[in-house]
Each structure stands twice: as structure tokens, then as C-alpha cells.
Amino acid sequence: MKRFFPKCALIAMTFGIMWGLAWSQDQAMTLTYDAYMTPDGLNQALKSLNSRFSNTTKLHRLAVTPGKRELVLLEIGPEVGRQDKSLPAILVVGNMDGDVPLSSMATLYLADFLLQTEGQATDKTWYILPCGNPDALQRYFSRPLYRDTRNGKPRNDDMDDRVDEDGYNDLDGNGMITQMRVKDPEGTMIAHGGDPRIMRKADPLKDEKGIYKIYSEGLDDDGDGKYNEDGPGGISAGINFPHLFEPFKPSTGLWPGCTDESFQLMKFAFEHPEIAMTVSFGATNFCMVPPKGGRRSGVDMDKIKVPENMATMINADPEQTYSMKEIMDMVQPMLPPGMEVTESMIASFLGLGAVVNPLQEDLEIYNDLAEKYKEYLKDKGMKDDRLDPSSARDGSFELWSYYQLGVHTFSMDFWTLPEIKDEKKEKSGITIEKLETMTSDEFVALGEEKISAFLKEVGAPDQYKAASVIQMVQSGTVAPKQMAQMMKQMPKPKDDSGGDPKTKALLAFNDQILDGKGFIDWTPFHHPTLGDVEIGGEVAYANNTPPAEVMDSLFSIQVPWGTEISKKLPKITILKTNATSQGAGIYEVEVWIENPSYLPFPTAMGKRNQQPAPAILTIDNDDITILSGKKRTPIQDLAGFETKKFTWMIQSDRNTTLEIQLTSVNAWGDQKQIKIGG
Amino acid sequence: MRRLKLFSFILMAGCLTVCNTFSWSQDISVPLRFDRYYNYDELVQAMKVLNKAFPDLTSLDLVGHSEEDREIWAMTINNPKTGDPLTKPGVYVDGNIHGNEIQAGEVALYFMNEMLTKYGKNEKITRLLDKNAYYIIPSVNVDGRYHFFEDPNTPSTNRGLRRPKDDDRDGLFDEDYPDDLDGDGNICQMRIRDPFGTQKTDPEDPRLMIPVKPGETGEWTILGSEGIDNDGDGRINEDSEGYVDGNRNWGFNWAPPYVQSGSGYYPFSGDGIRAIRDYIMERPNIIMVFAFHNTGGMYLRGPSVKSQGEFQRGDIAVYDYLGENAEKIVPGYRYLIGWKDLYATYGDFGDFMDHIVGAYTFVGELFMSSQETYREEDAGAGDPDGGGFFGESNTRSRERLKFNDHVAMGELYVPWKPYKHPVYGDIEIGGWVKMSSRLPHPFMLQDLVHRNAAVVMFSAEQTPEVKMEVFEKTRIGKDLFRVRVRLSNDKAMPTITYHSVREKVYPMDMLTVSGSSATVVSGGKITNRYTDQVSYKEDKPEVQFCQVPGFGMIEYQFLVSGKGQIKIHFESRKAGKVEQTIDL
């Protein structure tokens, strides 16, 4: 009982779940989730799932990292035997940044959950990759411990004469890399008043002068005056994707897909057009917080300005703005016959550039689903009192998936530090100066609440409660003026403003739950070149990787939301058909196509980038002649719960059956037969 | 007797058809001929023949394979007696990344042929060959080259890579190519008699059509390129190979297909493109790059999109020097800036080479159809338009047709002939043949290949050449010496581009001083020799990072304590190395 209780308390305290609810597990999973797994361990776990469920799973070896680790993807579904799929698929990528061990475990949990739960993977395929950046993940299990999203590719980061020659050094031998603070005349950092463990920038506007320089723990191994500027590795595979990719930044790599973790994943995605949705498990959470907009972009598609040198070519006025359609209409007659103008052609001719902010219709869906998700979490007893998830970074997988793959893109994080509740401090309105002029009656009239707030503001020691102070004044033991003078002598209260809220949250978590294991107190050390320093700081991963005991409950509540969303995938189906005789063997054939699901086919972005494959409606019969309408009609888009009608006029001499085929690689499709005549 | 007649007839017919394509399979031997074009197999054969004839100066490298599994070959030209290729500046020439832009292959072959056949005989060429390492890939899009020659085409078709893409979004991939209905080996135009048509016969040349004026009765409607509706969707020839453009598939500033048609699904999705990239990345000494295309008569430099901002001034100076001379070597060709004077391109080869490899890249758009004239000398420029983005004016077309008739013996244009089309009925087919409009008739090819090869040679002359001079060594104390070194370069290109320095693309060139009994106490770049202004490097003064400018020099000062010999060593990724040993 004694051992049992603290564990529950940990869970409960960490995120306020009613622990009874959290403790009830609906099903037994194949694997256990009581420890974080190494990249090797994850691959072994996938292998064991594959051998246990050999009929419905298949292993794919996607890539090998520079550090010689394998990216293994598990396929789950009824079509593992075939290359060309007829059912849509969902691609789940875990831990693409490599520094979120929790997300790799969550991805594994999802695979396990799908295999254990009835009906989850019978009408679609799941492609599940627990770790997109195994070289980086391995660091969680290495010592000294430090957090780094780069893979194992050697890179001359400081552009000197050697490669990977100056990494971190564990000077104090405690098995982890933290920071060093050194007193330096050019230092800009000071210890934070509220909690001197926190280092922050000195604010000259508050008369603060900097004292310290902060370095990462280590030596200047190559004697170039810089510390730890060229450690082992590498390329951050998680930001090596083409959307908003930035070359020439420290670890993005020279071009998108220059490392196999990202290249093979993109190749896989495009070789599998049945993928209708991606979900990434990591540090962002599109299920809760939609992707951010507000980027400065190229262009408003309704107000395009044609550059001068091109305006004359197409008879446009360089001073005026045009809509995309207007420009298309201007250009069409100038093209050689048979050549059709497209939006893409104009966009590239005018150099309009890419979409960089989420489209409005997609945002509406993200926002609506976020509301639904919050309800879902509340129902499961999970409170929303943790720090916000991260925003998607430029060059990340999830942004690439939304903007370039053009499919429904979701992401989830599973744990951040509990938020520190800032008790709203009502300003008392009293100052020491005012107090000096008050009478005892005026003071007592202020009331206990205001006096209590005032006492806190001036930093009165805790034992001076408002009630007792009021009594002292009422009884005449002390007059307000005397109190004011005493207070002037007291040391000023510690100013708690400033300082990184994330660090404060970590320290609170460290003090209350981690028992000091999340933060190393600043400890003196004699450094060979910097002299007297202090080593200390946040322990790597403490702010995103909770103790393993809470994994199970975190996952059992949050992971199934992914499957909830998967049920909303768009379907393209034949709602109704009709054939009406017009006489003389001529029939009007009507087919209604509908999408009976919540999510549209495709996303607004998918419509814009024309990437997802259209569905094809064919009317097939060798004996008939089509008088109006086409044999093959592509269906480019269908909104959620939308119906579209298609009509043909056909001629048939005899009674026959029309095959109506609705083929779709990514939205199921359908087929029906229509009897003609008879 | 009959059999012999039949046999000769077949032989002759075979020759005629083959002759029509300006490339007949005679023996390919050194020196190569340039009054003809080389199809894919002949191009490879030509390279092999050159390699066999000059085994000491060349090596043939198999770069990789294309989508249809054809071999992509590169030739390295290097004189091993003057050093290994990687110890010299690299000059890279390629062409034909667009399958129809074939004469780039001939330019590359000509360049190799000149360099090799004149080595040891022509002083300038000998010096050029000894100075640099040359990497030449005459045909990048080997599938395109093969199909351009082999299949019926217009001058502009067969441009892309053989990567399936559903261009018309109908669920089928590459299902509607143009069709050579009349079997003449060309994809021409189709037209149909139509009183409601917008065109009528040109009164000056019945082969041309002019737009109808309002109220006039029409005569013709242009139906488009020769073909049928292969997939029954009501459109003709709307989904041929790709469309993936090899010159939009590179990884610098790449944009997806909806932003720029033809970029491929993701950067370097092209198999051949990827192989060439890897080949280039293994040759980081490449500093000068020529990529040949057609058409228009230009030497283009980046930036490729306006938003990138202009190049570094120091680099623009190099481009200006080379470009302005190119305009004189090939009169009529213009030195231009990509985004500004042409159009924005994302993910193109030149941008990749400039930004990621740190080179100077020119795209050479070969051939100007405005040179197909029919007028007296000094008759004036006439209509300057030689085939702009949206086609040429009728004045020019009439003139070109006269050129076709009287100078090219009718080989460039097929007159309108009737044909019965399965859908349209009675139509006519005619127009410019594929071996026209974007490339020269073979009699003009020799001029084109020589002049453009000369531009490559001019630039190859300007790769950096560093000389080291230790111009001072003074004892300033007991065992303490002041040593001053000058690195000079009398060529236009610096030893590392200004862009590479600014963006830290790769480590800068290094000047190091070492000695077994000596230590470098301090060191730095001399900013003013006369007033002893030196900007000292704080740490590790014995390793200085530098750039030797084009047409210029830099000077360094070292304070060295010790005795004996010191070695002063300069090493550059693109400009080789030079060193001296002096006694203290």
C-alpha cells in the first residue's frame, strides 16, 4: 500500500486526474509501457508486434541513419499483402525531432492499441514509424546526458580546420551536461530575484548590471576561444523538410532531404498515394492548437500586381491589381492552341510563391476539432493546466505534410510541465508613504484582505498575519506611522517579475515532484581556462519527459483521440443512382456522389496544391453510346457532408446494365449497377 | 535483280529518313565532326572515342542511370602531370537537361574535342588543360535526348524527365502523348477549314496564317499539335511525359509543383538528377559552371527569384567580367539576370551550384532563330524579335520561311498536307519540323559550337591562380621574427566566392604557419602595410582563414618565435595549394 500510494499521488499531482479513473485500464496491451525504449528497443518491439500479428502487419525498412540506425515502419491493416492498396491509409510519424522520447513510446502504444482493439484497422491501413530520428533519440540513453536534435552525420559546425572536434565535457562528472556560469566584466546575466537558481538577462532599465556569462558545460577542446561549438553531428532531421526550409542555419542541412531520415520518408509518402492523413507525435499539437498563421507571405490571390516587364506581354496594366481568374482569362488566348492555362502556370510565371499560412476553411476544421478534443479530455478527467505545446518549426514534417503533401495533418504532444498558478494578487492600494499619514482607525478600516495583500507586497515576514497586525493597531501597541518606519528598514521583497516562465515551471516541478532531480544547483568548480565557475542548470529532458510511471495513463487517455479523428476521414460514395427513359432508347442517367464524413476531400490546401489524387467516376458498358458527358469524370473535391450530382445522356438499343465505378485511392470509393430498360 | 533493286531501295529509303534527321550513322572518330547532330547512342560513342584516343588526359565516369535505365556519362579532362583533379580549380560543363535542347551536347563534345586535339599544339589550350580539372556531362537528360531523336516531336516537346505524373488530373498517368498521324517523324500543327475560324491564309506566304479582322470571313481554325485524344477526355495531347523538369528539381529554394510547374514531388526525386548531384558533391573543387540550354541567345546568371536579393558585389564583378566578354565572343547573345530579364525559377541547377557548391554558374541559351534571315547585308535589323516567350511575329516567320526555302533547302518546314482525322475529319497537317526553330541547321552548327566553347575557355582561363611571396622576414627580438606573406591572384575569380564566405557554406581557405622548433605568437591580416595595421586573430594565430580576391591580393603578418625552418602553407578547396619553406 505504501509503495502504491506515492505512484498514484505522482500521477494525480502531475496533471490532476481523478486517479481512480486513470487507473482503470480497458484492455491489456501486448507491450508494457513502464520504461523508455532505445531506438533498438523500439525496433525490437515492432518486430515482436509483427511476429505476434503476422497476418495484419508488415515491417518496412525505410532508411538507415548516418549513425547506422534503422528507421523501421510497421504497416497495420488488411492489405499488407498487396503493393497497390485499395483502402486509404494514415501515416503516423513519431519523434521526428528525436528529443521527445515520450512521443516514440506513444507511437508504439498506438500500434499496440490498434492491434488490440476490434475494428480499428480493418477498413484502412496504418503506417507507423515510432522514431524518425533515432540518432538523436539515442542521446537520451547515453552519458553524459544532453539533449540534441541532430543525427550522427559529422559536420564542421564552426567552419574551421577540423570536424566535430569540440563537444561538451562532463566536467563535474555527474553524468549530465548542464551549464557553467562565470563572473565576467562583459557578462549580461544575473541571478533572478525570485529564485536565484534562474539566470536571466540584467535589465538596465531596472538599474541592473550584468554579472555572469553563461556557457554550456565543457572545455575549449580546440583552443579557438569558443566552447563546445562543434560537437558530434549533424543534421536535425526533424527540420529537414522542404516547406519553409532554411539552408545555412546551424543544423538544417544543405538541402531538404539531404539526409535519409527525411528523404526516404518523403519518397515513401509519395509512393503511397493512399495516404489520406498524417499524424505526428512530438512536441506540437494540432489537435489542440491549430497551426499558426500570421507569416508574411507573397500574395493575395485577389490583388495580384503584374510586374512591368511582363505586363506588356499580356496587355496588363502594371499599376493595377488583378485577380488570379482575370489574369488567367488574359493569358489563355495568347497561348498556342490546345494549351490550357492553369493557376499553377500563372503562379510560376509571375513568381507568386508558395502558400505560407493555413487556409481559412482548414482553420475552421482545426478549431472545431480542438474544441471537441478539449471536451473529450474533460470527459476523461484530464485538466488543461499544463504549459502550451510547441509551435511547428519551419522545415518540419507536419508543416510539409499540410502544405505540400496536402493531406489532413494532425499532431499530438503528450506531456508538458504543469502550469504554475499565479494567484491573482489584488493590489492593496496601500503604500508605506500612505501608511505613515494614516490614523489607526483608517488603517483598521482598510480591512483584512487589503492589509494581507499589503503585507505581502512589502515583504513582511510570514508570521505577521493581517489579523494580528490589525489587533496590534487597534490595541494601540503600534501606530501606523511606527509601522511605516519599521517597514522602511526592512529589506525589499524579492522581485519575482521577469525570468522565463518555463524555467519557473520546471523548478516548481523539480521541487515538488522530481525531488531535485530536474535541476542541478549551482556548484563551484575550477575551470582550466575560465577560472572559478559554477556548474548547474536544468537537467536535459526534464521539461518534456516525465517519469516513466505516468506513460500508461497519459497514453490511454490521449492516444485514442488519433483513432477518433481517423473515423472522420472523407469517404467518396455513391449515394443514389437513377436512369430515366427519354424514349427512343435514350436515357438520362443521374448519379449522386456524397461524402458522408466530417472531413472534406481534400483539405483546402490539398485543393490548392492539387496533390491528392482525384476520385474517378466511370460509366462503363460496351453496348451503349454516351451522347453527353464523359466516360471518365474526375472528381477533384467534395466537402464534408456534400453531395454532387453527375448526369449523362446515353443511348442503348437493348436492356443492359451500366457499371458505375467510383475509384479512389485515398477515400474508399464505391460501385453500383444501373439497369437500363426492362 | 528484283531483290537487289528492292534492297537498294530500302537502303536508300533508310538513308533518306535518317538523313532527314541530320544525323547519319557514319563512323564516329577523332577529330569529331560538327556538321551533324549526335543522338544518345552516338553521343556516348563519341565520348568513348575521345577517351580512347586520349587515355592519358581523360577518364570516362559512369555517373548513374536515368529513369529508363540509360547510362549518364561524364568525362574528366585532367593532366595528371600537373596534379590530381581535386587539387585544381574545377570547371564543369553540362547540357541537355531539357530533352529537346540537344545542341548543348554538341557544344560539350566540341569543347572536349578542341581541348584534346589541340593539346600540345596550341599554347593557350595546352595551358588551359594543364591548369584546371574539367568535368563534362554532355547530356544530363539522356532519356529526353534519346526520345527526342527517336520519337516524333515538335522542337519543344520531350523536355522533361520520364517520371509519370497525372498532369491533367484524370487519374491516368502520361496517357496522352502527341501522335505522328502522317508518320513523317515530326509533330506539326493541325488546322481545319472553318468559315468561323479566327485565322485566314497569309496573302504573302500561303503557308502562314494571319488573324481575321472583325467582320471578315474566316478560313482556318488551328486545332493544336498533331495528335488524337488518346484517353477520350475531349482534349488532345494534354498529358505526355512527366511533367517533371530536371531544371526545377534541385534542392536550393525548391518549390512544390503548384508554385512552379514541373518541380517534381520533392527535391531530387529525379534518379538521374540525384546521381549527378552526388557526382558533383564529390568534386567540391568546382568553381566555374556552364549549363547549356536552348534557345534565345543568352548567358544568364542568378539570382533566380527576386526575393533572394542580389548577389554579393564581389561575385557580381566576376559575372560582369565574364558575361561582358561572352557577349563579344558570341555576338548577339546577351548577358542577363535570371529573374529579372527572363522569369523566376525555383529549384534550378544554377542556384544550387551557386549557393550550395559555391560556384559561378552561367546558363547558356544557345541559338537565335533571328539569325535565320533572308535579306541583304546592312539591310537593318528588321523585326528584332527572334522567338520570344509567346512566339514570333509573322514578319519574322515569313523571313524564316524564305530562309528555309532558299538557304536550308526546305528542310526546316513541312508544307500543309491533307489528312483524314478520326475525330475532326478533313484537316491539314504542316509546320516547323523538330530539328528547327530552337537549334541551328547543321551548316550553322559549327559556328555555334565553336563560339560557345570559346566562352567556356575564356572563363576557364579566369579560375583562381594563387602565388605566394614571403616579402619580409625581420628579426625583431631574441628568437622573434616578423614574417609577412602576400597571396596574389591575377585571375578574375576569387579563391572562394563571396557568397560562400558570407553564408559559411564551407570552411574558408587556410593560411598556416608551422615549424618543428617555432611557435606562432600572433598573426593576422595586414590592413595597412605602411602603418603596420594588422587585424590580429585572437586564438590559434597559426591558422588564418582567408579569401584571395580576384585580380587582387591579401597580406598576412606573423610574429614567430623560435628557430629553424617554418613552412607557410596556403590551401583552398577550389584553388589548390601553394607553400614555401623559409629559414628563420
Side-chain angles (χ1 to χ4, degrees):
Chain A
M1 209 46 195
K2 265 212 179 128
R3 271 179 301 147
F4 189 78
F5 182 73
K7 202 171 179 175
C8 296
L10 174 66
I11 294 165
M13 284 205 310
T14 314
F15 40 76
I17 296 183
M18 293 163 9
W19 66 264
L21 195 69
W23 210 237
S24 62
Q25 293 281 313
D26 283 330
Q27 62 248 10
M29 306 297 269
T30 319
L31 308 164
T32 47
Y33 300 88
D34 56 2
Y36 289 98
M37 289 186 198
T38 63
D40 228 16
L42 290 169
N43 287 350
Q44 292 306 321
L46 287 183
K47 288 194 182 102
S48 73
L49 286 176
N50 175 236
S51 56
R52 171 89 186 263
F53 298 93
S54 49
N55 286 341
T56 51
T57 64
K58 182 174 169 193
L59 289 171
H60 296 257
R61 268 157 190 74
L62 212 58
V64 178
T65 69
K68 310 258 188 310
R69 295 181 179 85
E70 274 196 329
L71 266 73
V72 178
L73 180 146
L74 183 71
E75 176 183 343
I76 300 177
E79 293 190 308
V80 288
R82 13 186 316 187
Q83 185 78 305
D84 281 328
K85 308 284 197 233
S86 69
L87 303 170
I90 299 180
L91 174 63
V92 183
V93 173
N95 203 5
M96 198 70 223
D97 285 324
D99 66 343
V100 191
L102 187 67
S103 60
S104 285
M105 297 306 295
T107 321
L108 198 61
Y109 187 97
L110 173 66
D112 202 346
F113 177 82
L114 291 171
L115 289 164
Q116 291 290 349
T117 316
E118 280 300 314
Q120 283 299 346
T122 47
D123 67 341
K124 57 175 84 77
T125 300
W126 293 79
Y127 295 115
I128 302 192
L129 177 68
C131 185
N133 193 345
D135 287 351
L137 173 62
Q138 186 61 39
R139 292 214 180 78
Y140 181 70
F141 305 95
S142 314
R143 298 291 176 267
L145 179 71
Y146 66 91
R147 185 169 158 181
D148 194 323
T149 57
R150 294 176 300 174
N151 66 10
K153 186 169 170 75
R155 183 176 181 270
N156 186 347
D157 298 306
D158 56 352
M159 290 298 164
D160 66 357
D161 50 337
R162 283 189 282 169
V163 179
D164 291 354
E165 79 285 358
D166 191 354
Y168 305 118
N169 313 82
D170 181 16
L171 298 173
D172 57 4
N174 65 352
M176 48 190 110
I177 303 299
T178 50
Q179 293 182 313
M180 311 189 294
R181 69 180 184 189
V182 193
K183 294 202 172 126
D184 188 310
E186 286 178 311
T188 56
M189 309 290 276
I190 56 171
H192 175 59
D195 184 337
R197 288 175 296 181
I198 303 178
M199 302 301 297
R200 66 171 173 83
K201 256 205 148 83
D203 186 356
L205 297 176
K206 290 195 184 149
D207 293 336
E208 293 172 349
K209 180 172 166 35
I211 301 173
Y212 296 101
K213 263 193 185 166
I214 308 283
Y215 300 81
S216 50
E217 190 180 345
L219 308 165
D220 178 11
D221 297 292
D222 58 350
D224 66 349
K226 290 176 277 190
Y227 291 79
N228 315 327
E229 79 287 359
D230 193 0
I235 296 171
S236 294
I239 50 173
N240 189 246
F241 291 85
H243 184 73
L244 296 179
F245 174 81
E246 294 178 276
F248 313 133
K249 290 276 152 52
S251 65
T252 52
L254 284 174
W255 63 83
C258 68
T259 191
D260 261 356
E261 295 94 318
S262 47
F263 184 77
Q264 296 299 336
L265 197 49
M266 291 195 285
K267 185 158 181 273
F268 183 88
F270 280 104
E271 281 170 357
H272 291 268
E274 69 271 16
I275 293 174
M277 177 185 284
T278 66
V279 185
S280 40
F281 286 173
T284 68
N285 199 325
F286 289 173
C287 293
M288 242 192 228
V289 180
K292 297 230 177 325
R295 286 187 191 84
R296 267 192 60 212
S297 124
V299 179
D300 181 353
M301 283 292 158
D302 292 317
K303 293 204 194 77
I304 303 172
K305 243 192 164 197
V306 183
E308 224 177 299
N309 58 335
M310 294 176 177
T312 38
M313 271 198 248
I314 64 173
N315 288 333
D317 180 356
E319 302 301 313
Q320 235 195 307
T321 60
Y322 298 89
S323 74
M324 171 58 76
K325 177 138 197 339
E326 284 172 334
I327 298 184
M328 284 168 75
D329 289 339
M330 280 193 280
V331 171
Q332 179 68 70
M334 298 184 172
L335 294 181
M339 197 175 188
E340 249 180 70
V341 69
T342 61
E343 204 180 291
S344 171
M345 189 191 292
I346 303 298
S348 71
F349 175 57
L350 293 179
L352 293 182
V355 176
V356 293
N357 292 311
L359 298 180
Q360 190 52 40
E361 300 99 313
D362 294 332
L363 273 180
E364 281 163 16
I365 292 177
Y366 275 119
N367 282 321
D368 186 53
L369 284 174
E371 291 303 308
K372 290 183 160 75
Y373 186 39
K374 290 190 181 112
E375 287 298 316
Y376 166 91
L377 289 174
K378 225 162 88 180
D379 283 342
K380 300 259 178 166
M382 195 161 191
K383 288 207 224 127
D384 176 21
D385 58 355
R386 60 180 179 98
L387 290 183
D388 285 340
S390 308
S391 298
R393 298 168 64 192
D394 291 346
S396 64
F397 172 81
E398 49 266 53
L399 288 186
W400 170 78
S401 168
Y402 173 77
Y403 288 100
Q404 297 196 2
L405 200 51
V407 299
H408 294 283
T409 302
F410 293 96
S411 67
M412 289 175 83
D413 76 335
F414 295 90
W415 185 86
T416 46
L417 293 164
E419 231 173 350
I420 299 190
K421 301 246 178 313
D422 246 350
E423 284 143 31
K424 287 230 154 56
K425 296 198 185 101
E426 288 275 336
K427 278 216 170 297
S428 66
I430 317 169
T431 62
I432 296 181
E433 285 72 31
K434 277 195 198 152
L435 185 63
E436 267 188 307
T437 60
M438 268 187 217
T439 66
S440 304
D441 288 332
E442 279 172 346
F443 179 73
V444 173
L446 289 171
E448 196 171 321
E449 235 185 89
K450 282 219 173 104
I451 292 171
S452 178
F454 173 63
L455 287 173
K456 278 212 181 71
E457 278 165 26
V458 297
D462 275 338
Q463 58 261 43
Y464 285 96
K465 296 278 183 268
S468 44
V469 170
I470 291 172
Q471 238 226 342
M472 286 198 284
V473 171
Q474 270 177 329
S475 65
T477 318
V478 63
K481 191 166 174 186
Q482 283 172 297
M483 239 196 317
Q485 279 162 347
M486 279 195 286
M487 281 174 175
K488 279 191 191 165
Q489 308 297 327
M490 278 186 337
K492 274 219 160 47
K494 294 192 185 132
D495 183 1
D496 203 39
S497 65
D500 187 356
K502 289 202 187 121
T503 317
K504 287 183 181 168
L506 173 66
L507 284 170
F509 190 70
N510 168 70
D511 297 339
Q512 293 159 25
I513 308 280
L514 292 181
D515 205 27
K517 292 205 187 63
F519 192 95
I520 306 297
D521 287 324
W522 296 101
T523 316
F525 181 85
H526 186 75
H527 192 282
T529 45
L530 293 171
D532 285 321
V533 310
E534 288 170 287
I535 300 182
E538 291 181 38
V539 173
Y541 300 96
N543 66 2
N544 79 342
T545 309
E549 299 88 78
V550 308
M551 260 201 266
D552 224 300
S553 357
L554 286 174
F555 296 162
S556 64
I557 294 177
Q558 299 179 93
V559 168
W561 180 249
T563 60
E564 287 306 305
I565 297 191
S566 78
K567 292 177 190 151
K568 299 184 192 304
L569 273 178
K571 290 179 172 37
I572 304 204
T573 52
I574 299 174
L575 175 65
K576 186 176 149 186
T577 62
N578 198 28
T580 323
S581 169
Q582 311 286 307
I586 304 211
Y587 297 86
E588 183 190 40
V589 178
E590 294 167 302
V591 175
W592 285 261
I593 306 294
E594 78 157 347
N595 171 13
S597 296
Y598 170 91
L599 289 173
F601 167 77
T603 59
M605 190 62 221
K607 225 163 106 173
R608 175 71 185 279
N609 73 14
Q610 303 213 305
Q611 190 43 56
I616 310 293
L617 179 61
T618 36
I619 183 167
D620 205 355
N621 183 302
D622 290 329
D623 298 330
I624 63 158
T625 316
I626 299 179
L627 300 170
S628 135
K630 290 200 262 196
K631 183 161 194 262
R632 291 168 58 85
T633 308
I635 299 175
Q636 307 288 347
D637 57 80
L638 207 56
F641 299 111
E642 185 185 8
T643 306
K644 279 187 181 168
K645 184 172 83 153
F646 295 87
T647 320
W648 295 260
M649 284 295 209
I650 63 153
Q651 182 194 29
S652 177
D653 294 328
R654 64 190 86 170
N655 297 344
T656 184
T657 313
L658 293 177
E659 297 288 334
I660 309 291
Q661 290 275 5
L662 182 53
T663 24
S664 168
V665 70
N666 49 20
W668 284 277
D670 204 348
Q671 65 184 63
K672 283 233 172 23
Q673 291 180 330
I674 308 179
K675 284 205 180 355
I676 300 286
Chain B
M1 210 44 191
R2 260 208 220 128
R3 222 183 261 163
L4 191 63
K5 265 199 183 157
L6 184 63
F7 178 73
S8 335
F9 173 70
I10 293 172
L11 193 67
M12 216 173 57
C15 279
L16 276 173
T17 10
V18 167
C19 284
N20 258 338
T21 61
F22 299 145
S23 84
W24 46 92
S25 31
Q26 13 110 267
D27 271 335
I28 294 174
S29 59
V30 174
L32 299 172
R33 287 177 67 152
F34 291 91
D35 54 354
R36 51 153 301 163
Y37 285 94
Y38 292 77
N39 67 20
Y40 167 72
D41 291 299
E42 290 159 345
L43 183 87
V44 175
Q45 202 189 336
M47 292 174 78
K48 290 187 170 149
V49 147
L50 280 174
N51 173 236
K52 197 153 174 238
F54 301 97
D56 297 329
L57 296 173
T58 64
S59 75
L60 262 183
D61 318 308
L62 179 60
V63 175
H65 290 82
S66 67
E67 276 69 11
E68 290 184 344
D69 217 29
R70 284 187 182 86
E71 295 171 334
I72 302 171
W73 288 96
M75 180 111 104
T76 305
I77 296 180
N78 178 63
N79 180 3
K81 296 203 183 86
T82 55
D84 276 340
L86 288 175
T87 63
K88 300 169 181 160
V91 176
Y92 172 94
V93 179
D94 81 15
N96 198 200
I97 196 170
H98 293 138
N100 60 315
E101 298 178 356
I102 55 168
Q103 71 265 46
E106 279 71 19
V107 170
L109 283 179
Y110 186 88
F111 173 77
M112 294 192 285
N113 187 69
E114 276 289 279
M115 294 289 283
L116 294 166
T117 55
K118 293 189 176 170
Y119 181 79
K121 302 181 184 121
N122 176 310
E123 197 185 304
K124 187 160 178 169
I125 286 181
T126 306
R127 201 180 61 236
L128 270 181
L129 197 151
D130 285 341
K131 175 176 142 87
N132 299 314
Y134 297 88
Y135 308 106
I136 300 116
I137 303 183
S139 178
V140 168
N141 185 352
V142 293
D143 293 338
R145 189 180 192 91
Y146 172 82
H147 285 287
F148 184 77
F149 280 95
E150 185 69 16
D151 305 340
N153 277 295
T154 74
S156 306
T157 53
N158 240 294
R159 178 180 158 98
L161 301 176
R162 294 263 150 172
R163 298 190 69 78
K165 190 166 188 292
D166 182 7
D167 294 318
D168 56 350
R169 312 261 303 145
D170 65 352
L172 298 169
F173 289 77
D174 301 350
E175 77 286 359
D176 199 345
Y177 278 78
D179 310 274
D180 182 16
L181 299 174
D182 58 6
D184 69 341
N186 291 293
I187 301 295
C188 295
Q189 272 202 324
M190 305 189 299
R191 70 179 184 181
I192 190 168
R193 275 198 193 281
D194 183 0
F196 296 102
T198 56
Q199 307 284 321
K200 67 173 187 187
T201 309
D202 182 355
E204 286 199 30
D205 188 330
R207 288 171 291 187
L208 296 172
M209 291 175 281
I210 54 173
V212 167
K213 295 207 187 63
E216 272 187 325
T217 313
E219 243 187 289
W220 303 103
T221 290
I222 299 177
L223 296 168
S225 292
E226 209 175 328
I228 54 171
D229 180 6
N230 302 86
D231 58 348
D233 67 349
R235 287 176 293 179
I236 296 187
N237 308 342
E238 81 286 359
D239 196 353
S240 63
E241 93 279 355
Y243 180 56
V244 180
D245 183 333
N247 200 31
R248 304 285 184 273
N249 190 238
W250 293 76
F252 183 78
N253 203 22
W254 181 91
Y258 79 96
V259 174
Q260 173 174 257
S261 198
S263 58
Y265 291 135
Y266 48 90
F268 295 119
S269 53
D271 298 327
I273 300 297
R274 224 169 30 246
I276 293 175
R277 172 204 71 198
D278 290 340
Y279 178 85
I280 289 171
M281 296 306 285
E282 283 162 14
R283 290 155 178 81
N285 58 326
I286 292 173
I287 190 170
M288 185 70 231
V289 174
F290 281 90
F292 285 108
H293 293 235
N294 69 35
T295 177
M298 309 170 218
Y299 273 94
L300 294 163
R301 66 157 172 94
S304 300
V305 292
K306 185 176 180 187
S307 53
Q308 263 171 38
E310 183 54 288
F311 281 170
Q312 297 288 303
R313 252 197 328 211
D315 292 333
I316 294 177
V318 176
Y319 278 114
D320 286 351
Y321 180 76
L322 298 176
E324 282 156 16
N325 277 282
E327 286 178 328
K328 299 183 172 93
I329 296 173
V330 198
Y333 283 37
R334 294 156 293 158
Y335 159 52
L336 300 170
I337 300 174
W339 71 265
K340 198 162 172 229
D341 303 304
L342 217 60
Y343 41 81
T345 50
Y346 297 89
D348 69 68
F349 171 68
D351 248 1
F352 182 85
M353 295 307 286
D354 291 342
H355 289 92
I356 304 295
V357 177
Y360 293 104
T361 309
F362 270 116
V363 165
E365 295 280 1
L366 302 166
F367 182 65
M368 302 168 70
S369 68
S370 59
Q371 288 175 348
E372 293 180 338
T373 56
Y374 197 75
R375 65 178 90 120
E376 296 162 14
E377 202 177 308
D378 297 336
D383 186 319
D385 176 52
F389 192 67
F390 286 123
E392 62 183 12
S393 68
N394 254 38
T395 321
R396 276 293 303 140
S397 298
R398 289 178 197 130
E399 191 176 5
R400 280 187 62 220
L401 277 173
K402 292 211 186 71
F403 173 90
N404 163 69
D405 296 337
H406 306 308
V407 185
M409 307 312 154
E411 286 172 348
L412 304 177
Y413 193 89
V414 175
W416 294 102
K417 282 198 222 39
Y419 182 82
K420 215 167 182 74
H421 193 281
V423 167
Y424 295 115
D426 286 317
I427 63 165
E428 291 187 348
I429 298 179
W432 296 98
V433 302
K434 75 179 172 188
M435 299 296 284
S436 78
S437 311
R438 298 180 69 114
L439 42 72
H441 187 284
F443 87 87
M444 290 168 88
L445 181 60
Q446 176 81 31
D447 182 85
L448 182 146
V449 297
H450 182 88
R451 286 187 184 274
N452 287 286
V455 174
V456 178
M457 289 180 196
F458 181 90
S459 310
E461 178 63 52
Q462 296 303 325
T463 55
E465 260 177 58
V466 177
K467 295 190 181 59
M468 178 188 287
E469 190 193 334
V470 180
F471 64 94
E472 187 196 299
K473 184 199 74 180
T474 319
R475 180 190 289 273
I476 58 174
K478 183 179 191 303
D479 292 339
L480 187 64
F481 299 87
R482 184 172 79 185
V483 179
R484 288 182 164 185
V485 182
R486 179 181 303 126
L487 297 169
S488 62
N489 170 23
D490 66 350
K491 302 297 178 191
M493 291 178 223
T495 54
I496 168 172
T497 67
Y498 289 82
H499 162 81
S500 304
V501 172
R502 189 190 146 101
E503 297 291 358
K504 299 192 173 61
V505 179
Y506 62 89
M508 284 173 75
D509 302 333
M510 281 187 273
L511 178 63
T512 52
V513 175
S514 58
S516 50
S517 325
T519 322
V520 175
V521 171
S522 76
K525 188 165 174 202
I526 300 174
T527 49
N528 187 320
R529 187 187 338 143
Y530 303 101
T531 56
D532 293 341
Q533 307 275 4
V534 179
S535 109
Y536 285 104
K537 185 169 181 263
E538 246 187 79
D539 304 276
K540 284 174 90 166
E542 67 275 12
V543 179
Q544 299 283 336
F545 295 101
C546 57
Q547 170 202 43
V548 187
F551 296 138
M553 57 93 174
I554 47 174
E555 294 171 339
Y556 277 82
Q557 169 172 300
F558 297 94
L559 298 180
V560 186
S561 97
K563 54 186 193 284
Q565 284 194 327
I566 56 168
K567 186 170 79 174
I568 307 170
H569 178 92
F570 169 80
E571 182 152 342
S572 165
R573 190 179 271 207
K574 313 244 186 227
K577 43 181 117 146
V578 65
E579 74 177 22
Q580 278 190 38
T581 310
I582 62 166
D583 293 312
L584 286 176

